[in-house]
Amino acid sequence: MIYADNAATTKMSEAAKNTMFTLLEDAWGNPSSLYAHGQKAKEVLEKARLDVAALIGAQPNEIYFTSGGSEADNQAILSMAEAGKKLGKTHIVSTAFEHHAVLHTLKKLQKQGFEVTLLNVHEDGIVRPEELENALREDTCLVTVMYANNEIGTIQPIKEIGELCRRHKIPFHTDAVQAIGHIPIDVVRDNIDLLSASAHKFHGPKGVGFLYAKKGVKLSNLIEGGAQERGKRAGTENVAGIAAMAEALKEASTHMAENAAYVSRLRDRLIEGLSRIPHSALNGDRIRRLPGNVSFCFEGIEGESLLLLLDDKGIQASSGSACTSGSLDPSHVLLAIGRVHDVAHGSLRLTISEETSEGDVEQIISSVKEVVEYLRSFSPIWRELTAGKKQFIL
Ligand SMILES: *Cc1c(COP(=O)(O)O)cnc(C)c1O
């Protein structure tokens, strides 16, 4: 089995698993309790907060543990919307290729009267800071731009965007779920006010994440109840999961440079191999992309069939199209970078990790080649294209 869907989730690292197992035994107390066993859990929790903060250049009291990336995105955006509304500011700037945790939250706000500007991300999948600056208004209460895209892996000019938001005194949130643990992030260097992260995208457990909110940024609660997380996120903390997340992030940060070098070498080999398939194209910028992301479109085929046949060959990957949601619409990300529907339907996302071997990469290249040829051999669209009844786009 070759797992090439690390953007969907990653396997927990041994260190993260061991941390979690140990703490489930040794620190199962309630961190809000005053007796010794509770205080032990509290210590574990605060040590994790200290570690996570240090790894992104933040202060411990700027970290709020959540149930994952979606919750952090929701809380960041809704908090800034609420704070903005009090000042009569109801305009938000974001991009057309955000994760649904961001886009659907923005849609909810639009129904409540907020105005949302979604920036174009161009063919290379990169937001232009000058276009973003032009979209800012007197009543803009939030800019939210993802650090790296989950489908096409493109890395955004976050530092520049942060700088200009700071200059215009507009809060800046970034969904860094795909980036954190994979490329260096420092909230001070990058001028970030709010940042979302999720443990299961960097070899930690599922259902755990955090929101960084710079000192002075006013958060509202999504979940009301006890005074956990300094009164901003009620609910007894997932102590073992949080500690395992901190362990995973520490490990990822320690080995980041070597992992990134190894994984991006395999990525480049994959891109080179798949580019040899006729009428194919890489999605997103060739250079400014995550170490492990390879996203392609192949003309004349359906991404879903490609995935099923690759699965038969033991290769687990993903398609950009929203087949899992039962929708026939192609991916909003591929449409945002200007892929037409027919082309966007033939997409494949391969996201590799440091566990991927060189042999795996060669196997993926030959299997994808074989399956694409096979699917084209009976594709009506391919027949029209080769007969000249339809123009090739790629
Ligand atoms: C996975 C992902 C999320 C959601 O994180 P969960 O922890 O699964 O809720 C949000 N944004 C991006 C970019 C993601 O890749």
Side-chain angles (χ1 to χ4, degrees), residues 7 68-70 73 99 146 150 175 177-178 198 200-201:
S70 300
D73 283 340
H99 189 273
M146 68 200 319
N150 49 301
D175 174 341
V177 173
Q178 288 291 331
S198 175
H200 75 104
K201 304 288 175 74

Side-chain angles (χ1 to χ4, degrees), residues 29 84 90 260 286 301 325 334 373:
T90 54
R286 169 74 191 72
I301 63 161
S325 65
L334 297 176
E373 274 169 23

Side-chain angles (χ1 to χ4, degrees), residues 6-9 66-73 97-102 146-151 175-179 196-201 205-209 349:
N6 285 279
T9 197
T66 68
S67 67
S70 300
E71 185 188 329
D73 283 340
F97 77 160
E98 297 295 311
H99 189 273
H100 284 137
V102 168
M146 68 200 319
Y147 212 110
N149 184 267
N150 49 301
E151 281 185 35
D175 174 341
V177 173
Q178 288 291 331
S196 309
S198 175
H200 75 104
K201 304 288 175 74
K206 290 169 200 28
V208 193
R349 179 187 72 182

Side-chain angles (χ1 to χ4, degrees), residues 104-116:
H104 290 176
T105 305
L106 293 177
K107 197 165 272 178
K108 177 156 101 179
L109 287 171
Q110 270 175 322
K111 285 190 191 133
Q112 297 170 12
F114 282 81
E115 245 186 284
V116 177

Side-chain angles (χ1 to χ4, degrees), residues 108-360:
K108 177 156 101 179
L109 287 171
Q110 270 175 322
K111 285 190 191 133
Q112 297 170 12
F114 282 81
E115 245 186 284
V116 177
T117 303
L118 293 183
L119 295 166
N120 186 349
V121 291
H122 297 260
E123 205 179 328
D124 58 9
I126 312 268
V127 177
R128 303 292 187 270
E130 59 278 14
E131 289 178 16
L132 190 143
E133 191 160 22
N134 286 338
L136 300 179
R137 306 192 324 209
E138 281 295 307
D139 63 341
T140 306
C141 62
L142 171 69
V143 169
T144 172
V145 175
M146 68 200 319
Y147 212 110
N149 184 267
N150 49 301
E151 281 185 35
I152 59 174
T154 49
I155 300 169
Q156 305 307 313
I158 291 300
K159 182 169 175 282
E160 289 76 4
I161 295 172
E163 244 163 42
L164 70 88
C165 289
R166 192 72 36 103
R167 192 154 16 89
H168 290 267
K169 298 191 169 58
I170 297 168
F172 173 44
H173 166 251
T174 184
D175 174 341
V177 173
Q178 288 291 331
I180 194 161
H182 302 277
I183 56 174
I185 291 180
D186 184 305
V187 292
V188 175
R189 176 201 67 192
D190 293 342
N191 305 297
I192 296 166
D193 296 312
L194 298 127
L195 172 145
S196 309
S198 175
H200 75 104
K201 304 288 175 74
F202 53 81
H203 303 284
K206 290 169 200 28
V208 193
F210 67 88
L211 172 63
Y212 152 82
K214 188 178 155 67
K215 191 169 183 286
V217 168
K218 201 169 162 1
L219 291 183
S220 333
N221 296 46
L222 287 187
I223 300 173
E224 301 290 350
Q228 289 92 352
E229 299 302 297
R230 300 180 300 289
K232 295 302 174 193
R233 203 282 187 179
T236 305
E237 299 89 344
N238 175 2
V239 177
I242 289 167
M245 165 167 72
E247 184 62 35
L249 190 56
K250 221 185 317 178
E251 215 185 354
S253 304
T254 307
H255 300 289
M256 189 180 288
E258 60 191 274
N259 284 347
Y262 172 73
V263 175
S264 48
R265 189 164 57 77
L266 296 192
R267 173 200 67 193
D268 292 346
R269 169 67 193 128
L270 255 178
I271 292 175
E272 184 204 4
L274 296 179
S275 299
R276 289 171 201 271
I277 298 175
H279 304 287
S280 69
L282 179 71
N283 295 314
D285 194 79
R286 169 74 191 72
I287 308 292
R288 286 169 292 176
R289 65 191 306 125
L290 290 170
N293 179 291
V294 176
S295 167
F296 262 84
C297 280
F298 302 102
E299 206 163 359
I301 63 161
E302 289 288 338
E304 288 75 29
S305 327
L306 179 58
L307 287 189
L308 293 174
L309 292 175
L310 284 177
D311 187 25
D312 284 346
K313 291 178 179 291
I315 296 169
Q316 302 183 339
S318 145
S319 152
S321 60
C323 56
T324 44
S325 65
S327 148
L328 285 176
D329 292 337
S331 137
H332 69 285
V333 174
L334 297 176
L335 295 180
I337 61 165
R339 295 284 186 226
V340 299
H341 280 235
D342 273 1
V343 169
H345 273 301
S347 64
L348 174 68
R349 179 187 72 182
L350 297 156
T351 42
I352 55 174
S353 79
E354 49 292 344
E355 298 208 355
T356 311
S357 71
E358 292 183 5
D360 292 343

